[in-house]
Amino acid sequence: MNSKRSWFVFGVAALAYIAAVLQRSSLGVSGVSAADRYYTSAAILSTLAVVQLIVYAALQIPNGILIDRVGPKLLIVVGTAVMVVGQLTLAFSTDIGIAVIGRVLVGAGDSAIFISVIRLVNSWFSGRIVPQLSQWMGNLGAIGQILSAVPFAIVLHEAGWSAAFTSAASVALLAFILSLLVLGDRPPSVTAPEQPTLGVVLKRLGPTLRRPGTQLGFWSHFVTQSSGTVFALFWGFPFMVSALGYSTTLASGLLVVIVVVGLVSGPILGLLTARFPTRRSNLVLGIVAMLGVVWTAVLVWPGTPPLWLVVLLVVAMGAGGPGSLIGFDFARTFNPPHTLGSANGVVNVGGFTASFVMLFLIGVILDALHNVGFSASLYDVGAFKLAFAVQYVVIGLGVLFLVRARRRARAQLEEDEGISVAPLWVALSAAWSRKRP
């Protein structure tokens, strides 16, 4: 555990995740080009991202079961191969139907990667470094978003659609080769556990789903990850370029800001999660509150919001990605190791479920407003503001379920381990009283 070989495995796993994020987010800077290539409505265009996320979310629990059954290496190898096929299909498609098939394959391959690399972190490392490495894995994966926002976008606008998506597929191909050659399910010194039958793994899924800690992880991921995913994966680029009038260079740069903020805030959140494990949900709710305040300022601003406010928005969304990884720490601490793959799969469904719901609804609302004559342009800033407001409904419901799951998780913690978690204001008041002379 925590050996040099462990770090080598971590590096290759991070490369696989970087490749997955690149394939996933490559559509984010292609929204305007996709509209020109396929010439269809906003709702139909959004299906390119929606079906990808639906497939991704739908396969999380089956992939988690497979991880517990056959190990993470096989899923990473197969997942990277499927992403290569999906991106090449999209690269040479000229019909929206074929493009959708390509994104389905990308979503299917991508769905196996993150929960598999998180399982590798838990298998190859131990101790308090594990939550920090989980944060680092998420942050390093965000480099894939930088690759899509800068070099991919340059290739797209200079060399064209096919060249850009083929180049993205080549990164997944490299990850496939290295994963096949280097990765292992566990350190050689660790005895492989007896491989459970599929029936046993399926039988374990029910208790995993019913654990309040698993549900708390699901809703934590649901409310923190979705806003930034919707913005970076598809609607942010059309909003900035077509509605706000930004250049493609500036829009790509702002997408990079999301990643940079994640790289900075991720280790901080990892340290806070390890230092204050009973206050992890407060970190989640704090991030959601910050996002709510900044989004409200953008949406109620008369006319076009100023650049500084849009910068604040992408900074706030940058903290949402690392914040969503706290959900996996809930899964880790509330579930036994032999069910961790399934638990991580359940948690990872959360944010992507919220994302594909909002992605699709935003497209539908934009089309509806355009059809009733709300605006002459499909991508009007006023129409975007109304469409983005759907986040309040989706994430608001998620917060209600999160608070309910937290109450049940704390009750279980007190019953099982005798640990009582007081409300934050009570704990802060007690700490202040102890420090007073």
Side-chain angles (χ1 to χ4, degrees):
M1 289 288 196
N2 301 7
S3 63
K4 290 182 179 179
R5 172 76 192 279
S6 300
W7 290 105
F8 196 46
V9 169
F10 180 87
V12 174
L15 174 63
Y17 185 47
I18 289 170
V21 175
L22 168 60
Q23 316 313 313
R24 181 195 311 167
S25 59
S26 58
L27 200 62
V29 297
S30 310
V32 177
S33 298
D36 294 335
R37 184 177 182 87
Y38 301 114
Y39 194 69
T40 187
S41 68
I44 297 299
L45 274 179
S46 69
T47 59
L48 285 173
V50 170
V51 296
Q52 173 187 340
L53 292 185
I54 289 176
V55 171
Y56 183 102
L59 290 179
Q60 286 306 296
I61 295 177
N63 282 333
I65 292 172
L66 286 173
I67 291 173
D68 292 335
R69 176 77 174 86
V70 302
K73 175 180 177 176
L74 180 61
L75 269 74
I76 293 174
V77 170
V78 173
T80 50
V82 172
M83 286 191 295
V84 171
V85 175
Q87 285 291 71
L88 291 177
T89 300
L90 185 66
F92 299 102
S93 65
T94 55
D95 177 77
I96 188 68
I98 301 299
V100 167
I101 293 173
R103 294 315 284 184
V104 166
L105 292 173
V106 170
D110 182 17
S111 70
I113 306 301
F114 184 69
I115 57 174
S116 296
V117 300
I118 289 294
R119 179 60 174 267
L120 285 177
V121 169
N122 285 278
S123 298
W124 284 85
F125 295 89
S126 61
R128 294 181 65 178
I129 196 174
V130 173
Q132 297 177 50
L133 288 179
S134 297
Q135 285 284 351
W136 272 109
M137 183 63 76
N139 293 336
L140 290 172
I143 294 173
Q145 192 170 323
I146 295 179
L147 294 177
S148 68
V150 182
F152 176 85
I154 292 173
V155 175
L156 176 66
H157 294 108
E158 295 295 330
W161 181 277
S162 297
F165 282 94
T166 300
S167 65
S170 67
V171 178
L173 179 60
L174 175 63
F176 164 77
I177 295 171
L178 291 178
S179 298
L180 184 63
L181 296 176
V182 174
L183 295 183
D185 291 333
R186 63 192 61 82
S189 59
V190 176
T191 303
E194 182 179 352
Q195 193 175 61
T197 64
L198 182 59
V200 169
V201 174
L202 289 173
K203 188 176 180 180
R204 294 171 179 168
L205 179 60
T208 299
L209 289 168
R210 290 192 294 271
R211 286 189 184 98
T214 306
Q215 296 171 16
L216 179 56
F218 174 94
W219 292 112
S220 297
H221 199 264
F222 185 101
V223 298
T224 49
Q225 189 244 29
S226 50
S227 183
T229 297
V230 168
F231 195 87
L233 194 62
F234 196 82
W235 286 120
F237 204 78
F239 172 64
M240 291 186 288
V241 173
S242 299
L244 300 183
Y246 295 170
S247 67
T248 56
T249 302
L250 176 57
S252 296
L254 289 172
L255 293 179
V256 171
V257 170
I258 296 177
V259 180
V260 173
V261 172
L263 290 171
V264 173
S265 61
I268 297 172
L269 289 173
L271 288 170
L272 291 174
T273 299
R275 178 68 178 82
F276 305 103
T278 60
R279 298 298 170 189
R280 292 171 291 182
S281 60
N282 295 112
L283 292 174
V284 171
L285 291 173
I287 291 170
V288 173
M290 175 182 64
L291 283 166
V293 169
V294 181
W295 265 114
T296 300
V298 171
L299 299 186
V300 302
W301 191 277
T304 302
L307 177 60
W308 64 264
L309 185 54
V310 177
V311 171
L312 282 181
L313 176 64
V314 297
V315 168
M317 288 189 292
S324 70
L325 298 178
I326 297 173
F328 296 99
D329 204 52
F330 284 123
R332 180 181 65 87
T333 54
F334 281 93
N335 287 276
H338 59 269
T339 64
L340 194 53
S342 302
N344 284 336
V346 173
V347 170
N348 211 26
V349 171
F352 291 97
T353 299
S355 296
F356 73 67
V357 169
M358 292 194 295
L359 269 168
F360 181 70
L361 290 178
I362 288 170
V364 170
I365 293 170
L366 288 174
D367 278 340
L369 292 172
H370 180 62
N371 291 336
V372 300
F374 179 85
S375 61
S377 169
L378 178 62
Y379 293 153
D380 178 79
V381 64
F384 258 117
K385 287 183 176 182
L386 290 175
F388 280 142
V390 76
Q391 295 177 92
Y392 292 101
V393 178
V394 177
I395 296 178
L397 287 173
V399 169
L400 294 178
F401 283 107
L402 184 152
V403 172
R404 179 176 179 271
R406 181 177 70 170
R407 185 168 58 248
R408 295 175 59 234
R410 287 181 173 179
Q412 183 186 44
L413 187 64
E414 184 172 11
E415 180 182 346
D416 294 346
E417 302 183 32
I419 299 174
S420 178
V421 182
L424 180 61
W425 69 270
V426 173
L428 291 175
S429 177
W432 174 255
S433 298
R434 287 194 299 269
K435 289 183 178 182
R436 291 178 64 185

